[in-house]
Amino acid sequence: MNTKENQVPGKEEFGALLDEFMGKGALQGKVVSGQIVGFDDDVVIVDVGLKSEGRIPLSECGAQELHVGDTIEVFIDRYEDKNGNAVLSREKARREEAWGDLEKAMEKGEHVTGTIFGRVKGGFTVDLNGATAFLPGSQIDVRPIRDMSPLMGIPQPFALLKMDKVRGNIVVSRRAVLEETRAEQRSEIIKNLSEGQVVEGTVKNITDYGAFIDLGGVDGLLHVTDISWKRVTNPAEILSVGQTVKVQIIKFNTDTGRISLGMKQLESDPWVGINERFPVGMQLKGKISNITDYGAFIEIAPGIEGLVHVSEMSWTKKNVHPSKIVSLSEEVDVVILDVDESKRRISLGMKQLQENPWKAFADTHAVGDVIEGEIKNMIEFGIFIALNDDLDGMIHTSDLSWDKPSEEAIKEYKKGMVVKAKILDIDVEKERISLGIKQLSDDPLAGVSETLKKGAVVTGVVSAIEENGIEVDVDGIKGFIKRTDLAKDRSEQKTERFAIGEKVDAKVVSFDAKTRKLSLSIKAREVAEEKQAMEEFGSTASGASLGDILGAALANKAKKTAKTDAEEKPAKKKTTKKAKAEEAAE
């Protein structure tokens, strides 16, 4: 039998015996209080209640003055080393203590104090009372800092962004603290700001559209249009970063915190009383300050600009860019055309100070005069003729020839040719001179127009037969009879009834002397003749048939024709005898 002394101890008894052998419970990896029991050169001997004392390098204890019997916090790294001594660390104890304080601060959202002591990739290292944290470069300040030396080694507040005790990572931010401080300052400053208030600020940044002014923790925008009453194209020409300026708060939005500033508002408005200073018709000199596609701005006084529209620059240069007429900073003579104080606009003119070439031409020429000039340009609907160095006159294609179509007549002319033309019209107000070439000769058909009045019956010769009608030549003028106008009866409205060279009588429907367009109708002539016959020879109501009436009308017409022929023959014969007698007498 086994005795009690020979029994092997159980697991629980073995753990208890180990604890009793090693000290008071499992303390490895924890921070405990220890008592200094002695010093040995550069180490401190500390008793933490274990079987053996521990030894801590004096350098880990910092500048604190220590004595035998003092109590300090230490970290138990291992129960014993190869020499049987407990392995203790004052530095790790301080770090554990710091982690505890940092965790509490992060839970409460409080700032912690630290010191920047080193530079690493992407940022800097910060000592947080024993714990080492990482400060990213983007979290150093609200704006980029080139020289970090003034911030090194100085205790300052930081905000805790991230903590990972397992990995031993701590990330802090100095920028967050500054932004909170600026926000508090901004809120305090904003309370004391109001529209119309004049304040001093420092130019913080300059852009194309203006400058940002630091009002002591609050930024306001000084727009380029509010820097000066005169035109400012580049704010950097007037302002510089770091410059102290006096500005006025012209707009303040309490909801968004946006502040609009102005400098020109501190000066008197040059537009006040502008009508009295610059009346319409006043002539003066000005300097070109800006050129656009539609004109040029002229500075006529400090802070006062007027616009010369491109149409008011020259009498003759209409379709050119203003930069082809004037240049930047050039001094020019102008006249005031219009002043609108409410809209702060002044319209200026340049051409008004020059002789109007259109009026000058009208004073020396009259409608009907014949001029000679070179063809400067040709377009689809006309030809431009140079009248002098400044003016051109236009000949419309319809005024090129009396008898040729416009598209054919214009082919006879080329750019550079010198031609003669007659002045048809001079319009000074519209700046237009109309010319004509065909007017140099009389209209060969001038007398024909009287015989081609609407309703007149004319005789023509068929010159062409088309599917939709026939073409008829009437004294050299081409007329046209539509198929529906070839006869009164629908059955007779056939083009094959006619032959080229055949004479036909038709009534004039319309005639345009300018376009030479003549419309005729046989149907209208037949309807008119039938109506006349009814009036002269009776009606069907009196018992006569339509055939009898028309027969009588035709017989009467034949009788009149025969009588006319008989009267003309003796006259012709008499004329012939007389001519012979005169020849014999000679």
Side-chain angles (χ1 to χ4, degrees):
M1 290 181 65
N2 293 331
T3 62
K4 185 176 181 181
E5 289 80 3
N6 295 329
Q7 291 180 355
V8 178
K11 188 182 293 185
E12 293 180 0
E13 292 179 352
F14 182 81
L17 290 173
L18 181 61
D19 288 344
E20 183 181 352
F21 173 77
M22 297 302 295
K24 301 176 181 179
L27 302 176
Q28 185 172 323
K30 293 185 178 180
V31 177
V32 298
S33 296
Q35 187 177 27
I36 298 175
V37 295
F39 297 91
D40 185 5
D41 294 332
D42 58 350
V43 298
V44 180
I45 302 172
V46 181
D47 181 11
V48 291
L50 296 176
K51 190 145 187 173
S52 59
E53 293 86 7
R55 300 167 71 85
I56 303 173
L58 191 60
S59 60
E60 288 192 14
C61 297
Q64 181 182 359
E65 187 176 348
L66 301 174
H67 302 89
V68 175
D70 289 347
T71 300
I72 61 173
E73 299 292 321
V74 295
F75 179 84
I76 301 177
D77 204 349
R78 294 194 307 276
Y79 285 126
E80 59 180 36
D81 59 10
K82 62 181 180 179
N83 297 319
N85 296 320
V87 181
L88 306 178
S89 174
R90 172 61 180 160
E91 183 178 342
K92 290 184 178 180
R94 289 177 63 242
R95 190 180 302 164
E96 286 292 318
E97 184 180 354
W99 268 94
D101 294 338
L102 293 175
E103 288 175 341
K104 292 178 183 179
M106 190 166 186
E107 289 177 2
K108 296 179 181 179
E110 297 175 345
H111 296 160
V112 295
T113 302
T115 304
I116 302 174
F117 67 90
R119 183 188 295 271
V120 293
K121 184 178 180 181
F124 297 84
T125 52
V126 180
D127 179 16
L128 301 178
N129 194 27
T132 301
F134 174 63
L135 173 63
S138 61
Q139 296 298 320
I140 296 173
D141 206 314
V142 292
R143 68 186 75 179
I145 295 181
R146 295 181 179 179
D147 185 10
M148 280 290 296
S149 56
L151 300 178
M152 302 289 285
I154 299 175
Q156 51 193 307
F158 293 90
L160 293 165
L161 300 182
K162 180 181 178 182
M163 289 185 67
D164 187 342
K165 190 172 183 180
V166 176
R167 297 183 179 181
N169 292 336
I170 303 175
V171 181
V172 295
S173 171
R174 180 175 176 270
R175 175 177 177 173
V177 176
L178 295 177
E179 288 178 343
E180 290 179 16
T181 304
R182 286 174 63 87
E184 293 173 0
Q185 292 176 347
R186 179 183 177 87
S187 178
E188 187 64 29
I189 293 172
I190 286 177
K191 290 180 182 178
N192 300 320
L193 296 180
S194 59
E195 291 186 4
Q197 183 179 356
V198 179
V199 295
E200 276 195 353
T202 304
V203 179
K204 182 178 177 181
N205 188 27
I206 298 176
T207 66
D208 293 337
Y209 53 87
F212 288 94
I213 310 298
D214 185 354
L215 304 179
V218 179
D219 292 345
L221 174 62
L222 174 61
H223 197 269
V224 63
T225 57
D226 290 311
I227 293 177
S228 174
W229 289 109
K230 68 178 183 178
R231 179 183 295 273
V232 178
T233 55
N234 185 3
E237 296 176 356
I238 298 177
L239 303 173
S240 59
V241 175
Q243 178 183 352
T244 300
V245 294
K246 187 175 286 186
V247 293
Q248 184 180 54
I249 299 175
I250 57 178
K251 192 173 182 181
F252 179 34
N253 191 322
T254 54
D255 295 331
T256 62
R258 291 183 179 177
I259 303 172
S260 298
L261 306 173
M263 285 178 62
K264 72 179 184 182
Q265 287 77 6
L266 300 177
E267 303 172 358
S268 59
D269 188 351
W271 285 87
V272 175
I274 197 73
N275 291 288
E276 291 73 22
R277 293 168 56 199
F278 298 99
V280 173
M282 179 180 180
Q283 298 180 17
L284 67 163
K285 287 184 178 292
K287 183 180 291 186
I288 296 176
S289 57
N290 190 31
I291 298 176
T292 67
D293 292 337
Y294 52 85
F297 287 92
I298 314 293
E299 186 179 24
I300 58 176
I304 299 295
E305 287 184 339
L307 172 66
V308 179
H309 194 270
V310 65
S311 63
E312 303 296 344
M313 287 185 169
S314 171
W315 289 107
T316 56
K317 297 176 182 177
K318 299 298 183 182
N319 299 316
V320 298
H321 194 273
S323 61
K324 301 293 183 181
I325 303 175
V326 296
S327 57
L328 203 61
S329 300
E330 179 184 354
E331 196 172 70
V332 294
D333 293 317
V334 293
V335 61
I336 306 292
L337 301 181
D338 183 60
V339 179
D340 191 329
E341 184 174 342
S342 61
K343 294 182 179 179
R344 309 173 81 87
R345 292 179 182 172
I346 296 180
S347 297
L348 304 173
M350 289 171 56
K351 71 179 185 182
Q352 289 77 6
L353 300 178
Q354 307 163 8
E355 183 183 29
N356 186 345
W358 305 95
K359 185 177 183 303
F361 187 88
D363 292 340
T364 56
H365 296 78
V367 172
D369 289 353
V370 177
I371 58 94
E372 186 176 71
E374 181 183 343
I375 297 177
K376 286 293 184 181
N377 193 22
M378 298 182 67
I379 56 178
E380 184 180 355
F381 55 85
I383 297 173
F384 287 93
I385 307 296
L387 303 176
N388 52 44
D389 293 338
D390 296 322
L391 302 183
D392 291 341
M394 194 191 83
I395 304 175
H396 195 273
T397 51
S398 61
D399 290 314
L400 292 174
S401 174
W402 288 112
D403 52 4
K404 294 181 180 179
S406 298
E407 57 272 14
E408 291 184 14
I410 198 171
K411 293 179 181 179
E412 298 179 2
Y413 301 90
K414 293 182 179 180
K415 189 175 180 179
M417 288 180 60
V418 177
V419 297
K420 288 184 177 181
K422 181 176 285 189
I423 298 175
L424 304 182
D425 182 54
I426 303 175
D427 193 327
V428 176
E429 185 176 344
K430 294 182 179 179
E431 300 179 349
R432 185 184 301 163
I433 299 174
S434 300
L435 306 173
I437 289 180
K438 73 180 184 181
Q439 287 79 2
L440 294 173
S441 60
D442 295 332
D443 185 354
L445 302 178
V448 178
S449 300
E450 295 298 323
T451 62
L452 297 178
K453 291 183 178 181
K454 183 178 181 179
V457 176
V458 295
T459 300
V461 179
V462 178
S463 58
I465 299 175
E466 300 176 7
E467 184 179 351
N468 60 337
I470 62 174
E471 186 181 84
V472 180
D473 188 313
V474 180
D475 296 330
I477 298 178
K478 298 294 182 181
F480 191 78
I481 305 175
K482 295 188 293 185
R483 176 185 284 273
T484 55
D485 286 319
L486 291 175
K488 177 175 175 290
D489 295 333
R490 185 181 295 272
S491 60
E492 298 295 320
Q493 294 175 353
K494 300 176 181 178
T495 57
E496 53 267 27
R497 290 178 48 229
F498 302 89
I500 294 177
E502 179 183 350
K503 290 185 177 181
V504 294
D505 293 335
K507 180 173 283 193
V508 177
V509 177
S510 65
F511 175 61
D512 189 332
K514 190 173 183 179
T515 61
R516 300 294 204 268
K517 187 175 181 180
L518 174 63
S519 295
L520 303 170
S521 174
I522 296 176
K523 174 182 177 180
R525 189 212 75 203
E526 291 177 347
V527 170
E529 289 179 349
E530 181 178 313
K531 182 179 181 181
Q532 184 179 1
M534 293 288 288
E535 292 175 352
E536 292 183 8
F537 300 100
S539 65
T540 54
S542 61
S545 65
L546 182 60
D548 295 338
I549 295 172
L550 293 177
L554 292 173
N556 184 58
K557 182 177 179 181
K559 184 177 180 181
K560 288 182 179 180
T561 302
K563 182 179 179 181
T564 302
D565 292 341
E567 291 175 351
E568 288 179 353
K569 285 180 181 180
K572 289 181 180 179
K573 186 175 181 181
K574 182 178 180 182
T575 302
T576 303
K577 288 181 179 180
K578 183 178 180 181
K580 288 181 178 180
E582 290 175 352
E583 290 176 0
E586 291 177 356

mmCIF file of all heavy atoms in Angstrom, residues 370 400-403 422 436-444:
data_model
loop_
_atom_site.group_PDB
_atom_site.id
_atom_site.type_symbol
_atom_site.label_atom_id
_atom_site.label_comp_id
_atom_site.label_asym_id
_atom_site.label_seq_id
_atom_site.Cartn_x
_atom_site.Cartn_y
_atom_site.Cartn_z
ATOM 1 N N VAL A 370 -23.371 107.455 -113.138
ATOM 2 C CA VAL A 370 -22.660 106.253 -113.587
ATOM 3 C C VAL A 370 -21.255 106.264 -112.978
ATOM 4 O O VAL A 370 -20.547 107.273 -113.059
ATOM 5 C CB VAL A 370 -22.568 106.187 -115.125
ATOM 6 C CG1 VAL A 370 -21.757 104.964 -115.561
ATOM 7 C CG2 VAL A 370 -23.969 106.139 -115.727
ATOM 8 N N LEU A 400 -28.211 92.698 -113.256
ATOM 9 C CA LEU A 400 -27.082 92.480 -114.159
ATOM 10 C C LEU A 400 -27.501 92.502 -115.625
ATOM 11 O O LEU A 400 -26.768 92.995 -116.486
ATOM 12 C CB LEU A 400 -26.390 91.148 -113.839
ATOM 13 C CG LEU A 400 -25.644 91.069 -112.498
ATOM 14 C CD1 LEU A 400 -25.140 89.651 -112.252
ATOM 15 C CD2 LEU A 400 -24.478 92.053 -112.478
ATOM 16 N N SER A 401 -28.677 91.934 -115.956
ATOM 17 C CA SER A 401 -29.091 91.816 -117.359
ATOM 18 C C SER A 401 -30.610 91.887 -117.467
ATOM 19 O O SER A 401 -31.330 91.440 -116.565
ATOM 20 C CB SER A 401 -28.574 90.500 -117.942
ATOM 21 O OG SER A 401 -29.075 90.290 -119.243
ATOM 22 N N TRP A 402 -31.058 92.468 -118.619
ATOM 23 C CA TRP A 402 -32.503 92.571 -118.854
ATOM 24 C C TRP A 402 -33.086 91.230 -119.310
ATOM 25 O O TRP A 402 -34.213 90.894 -118.955
ATOM 26 C CB TRP A 402 -32.794 93.617 -119.941
ATOM 27 C CG TRP A 402 -32.580 95.034 -119.519
ATOM 28 C CD1 TRP A 402 -31.622 95.886 -119.969
ATOM 29 C CD2 TRP A 402 -33.340 95.767 -118.559
ATOM 30 N NE1 TRP A 402 -31.719 97.103 -119.375
ATOM 31 C CE2 TRP A 402 -32.781 97.067 -118.497
ATOM 32 C CE3 TRP A 402 -34.438 95.475 -117.758
ATOM 33 C CZ2 TRP A 402 -33.282 98.062 -117.665
ATOM 34 C CZ3 TRP A 402 -34.944 96.465 -116.921
ATOM 35 C CH2 TRP A 402 -34.374 97.730 -116.872
ATOM 36 N N ASP A 403 -32.309 90.493 -120.077
ATOM 37 C CA ASP A 403 -32.878 89.314 -120.719
ATOM 38 C C ASP A 403 -32.301 87.976 -120.248
ATOM 39 O O ASP A 403 -32.852 86.926 -120.551
ATOM 40 C CB ASP A 403 -32.721 89.409 -122.238
ATOM 41 C CG ASP A 403 -31.279 89.703 -122.648
ATOM 42 O OD1 ASP A 403 -30.404 89.764 -121.751
ATOM 43 O OD2 ASP A 403 -31.034 89.879 -123.852
ATOM 44 N N LYS A 422 -24.697 101.945 -112.756
ATOM 45 C CA LYS A 422 -25.492 103.129 -112.452
ATOM 46 C C LYS A 422 -25.928 103.074 -110.990
ATOM 47 O O LYS A 422 -26.272 102.016 -110.471
ATOM 48 C CB LYS A 422 -26.712 103.201 -113.366
ATOM 49 C CG LYS A 422 -27.586 104.430 -113.128
ATOM 50 C CD LYS A 422 -28.731 104.515 -114.124
ATOM 51 C CE LYS A 422 -28.218 104.971 -115.483
ATOM 52 N NZ LYS A 422 -29.327 105.272 -116.428
ATOM 53 N N GLY A 436 -26.569 99.132 -110.447
ATOM 54 C CA GLY A 436 -27.124 98.275 -111.488
ATOM 55 C C GLY A 436 -26.341 98.402 -112.779
ATOM 56 O O GLY A 436 -25.886 99.506 -113.116
ATOM 57 N N ILE A 437 -26.170 97.294 -113.474
ATOM 58 C CA ILE A 437 -25.487 97.321 -114.780
ATOM 59 C C ILE A 437 -26.510 97.358 -115.916
ATOM 60 O O ILE A 437 -26.338 98.079 -116.897
ATOM 61 C CB ILE A 437 -24.565 96.099 -114.923
ATOM 62 C CG1 ILE A 437 -23.359 96.251 -113.984
ATOM 63 C CG2 ILE A 437 -24.086 95.945 -116.365
ATOM 64 C CD1 ILE A 437 -22.378 95.101 -114.052
ATOM 65 N N LYS A 438 -27.596 96.595 -115.775
ATOM 66 C CA LYS A 438 -28.575 96.558 -116.852
ATOM 67 C C LYS A 438 -29.236 97.920 -117.052
ATOM 68 O O LYS A 438 -29.714 98.241 -118.155
ATOM 69 C CB LYS A 438 -29.617 95.480 -116.597
ATOM 70 C CG LYS A 438 -30.616 95.806 -115.488
ATOM 71 C CD LYS A 438 -31.615 94.674 -115.310
ATOM 72 C CE LYS A 438 -32.691 95.022 -114.279
ATOM 73 N NZ LYS A 438 -33.643 93.923 -114.077
ATOM 74 N N GLN A 439 -29.228 98.757 -116.008
ATOM 75 C CA GLN A 439 -29.853 100.077 -116.103
ATOM 76 C C GLN A 439 -29.044 101.035 -116.971
ATOM 77 O O GLN A 439 -29.498 102.156 -117.264
ATOM 78 C CB GLN A 439 -30.044 100.679 -114.701
ATOM 79 C CG GLN A 439 -31.152 100.048 -113.888
ATOM 80 C CD GLN A 439 -30.753 98.727 -113.247
ATOM 81 O OE1 GLN A 439 -29.624 98.302 -113.376
ATOM 82 N NE2 GLN A 439 -31.699 98.077 -112.574
ATOM 83 N N LEU A 440 -27.828 100.619 -117.368
ATOM 84 C CA LEU A 440 -27.044 101.451 -118.294
ATOM 85 C C LEU A 440 -27.691 101.512 -119.667
ATOM 86 O O LEU A 440 -27.381 102.388 -120.474
ATOM 87 C CB LEU A 440 -25.616 100.894 -118.400
ATOM 88 C CG LEU A 440 -24.757 100.986 -117.117
ATOM 89 C CD1 LEU A 440 -23.441 100.250 -117.315
ATOM 90 C CD2 LEU A 440 -24.519 102.434 -116.718
ATOM 91 N N SER A 441 -28.576 100.578 -119.979
ATOM 92 C CA SER A 441 -29.313 100.568 -121.250
ATOM 93 C C SER A 441 -30.803 100.502 -120.949
ATOM 94 O O SER A 441 -31.220 100.096 -119.868
ATOM 95 C CB SER A 441 -28.890 99.361 -122.106
ATOM 96 O OG SER A 441 -29.156 98.154 -121.408
ATOM 97 N N ASP A 442 -31.623 100.903 -121.953
ATOM 98 C CA ASP A 442 -33.073 100.892 -121.769
ATOM 99 C C ASP A 442 -33.591 99.468 -121.776
ATOM 100 O O ASP A 442 -33.034 98.580 -122.438
ATOM 101 C CB ASP A 442 -33.754 101.704 -122.886
ATOM 102 C CG ASP A 442 -33.386 103.176 -122.813
ATOM 103 O OD1 ASP A 442 -33.087 103.643 -121.688
ATOM 104 O OD2 ASP A 442 -33.368 103.836 -123.868
ATOM 105 N N ASP A 443 -34.671 99.284 -121.091
ATOM 106 C CA ASP A 443 -35.324 97.979 -121.059
ATOM 107 C C ASP A 443 -35.929 97.720 -122.435
ATOM 108 O O ASP A 443 -36.806 98.470 -122.892
ATOM 109 C CB ASP A 443 -36.404 97.980 -119.984
ATOM 110 C CG ASP A 443 -37.034 96.601 -119.814
ATOM 111 O OD1 ASP A 443 -36.708 95.695 -120.611
ATOM 112 O OD2 ASP A 443 -37.854 96.440 -118.886
ATOM 113 N N PRO A 444 -35.491 96.718 -123.153
ATOM 114 C CA PRO A 444 -36.026 96.444 -124.499
ATOM 115 C C PRO A 444 -37.506 96.107 -124.489
ATOM 116 O O PRO A 444 -38.155 96.183 -125.529
ATOM 117 C CB PRO A 444 -35.186 95.258 -124.977
ATOM 118 C CG PRO A 444 -34.678 94.616 -123.716
ATOM 119 C CD PRO A 444 -34.477 95.736 -122.756
#
